[in-house]
Amino acid sequence: MNQQLNLVTLGVEDLKVSRQFYSHGLAWTPLLDMEEIVFYQIGKGLALGLFPLADLGADTGHPATAGTPFTLAQNLDSSAEVDEAMQRARVAGATVLKEPQRAAFGGYHGYFADPDGHRWEGMPQPRLVGRRRRHRDTDGCRRIRRRRLTPLQPP
């Protein structure tokens, strides 16, 4: 069996409010936007779905509750992008849980909660997910090479 994750579906109280937050507030482009659900492409082979909480509970056969006991994270390119993402989320109506700041592990990050309490972290940590880097080959063409994953180094 492949070790993979292709879809994260968040149960939301009000799909209209959540759609507004993600599509207009964060300026994300929907991959598929239907009356009862909306999907956003958030990575290669990875999508985020927003689905009404009551419908999610009915679909799974178990009541669903708002908010999450985990965090979702955006791995951004720089501390400045973390600051920009946090400001965009704030303007869109997010609750800032932790202003962007230096972290105990030596990095930089901040947290916000979307209208349903789903917690998002913004951080620049390219080594964590093997971000791609551009370089020029000997023929002068730009290519993208996948970085090898390396463990985080303590500060």
Side-chain angles (χ1 to χ4, degrees), residues 75-77 123-132 147 149:
N75 193 358
L76 303 165
D77 288 329
M123 63 179 181
Q125 194 55 264
R127 292 179 296 160
L128 185 60
V129 294
R131 293 291 291 260
R132 293 172 184 231
R147 277 189 180 171
L149 291 177

Side-chain angles (χ1 to χ4, degrees), residues 17-29 40 74 76 79-96 98-100 110-115 120 122:
V17 169
S18 294
R19 179 183 283 118
Q20 176 73 20
F21 178 80
Y22 286 93
S23 295
H24 300 287
L26 298 184
W28 287 13
T29 304
Y40 301 91
Q74 284 188 300
L76 303 165
S79 297
E81 282 193 20
V82 171
D83 293 340
E84 290 169 20
M86 190 66 63
Q87 182 59 25
R88 178 182 293 272
R90 176 184 282 116
V91 169
T95 301
V96 174
K98 181 178 185 180
E99 292 289 344
Y111 288 95
F112 68 84
D114 74 6
W120 283 86

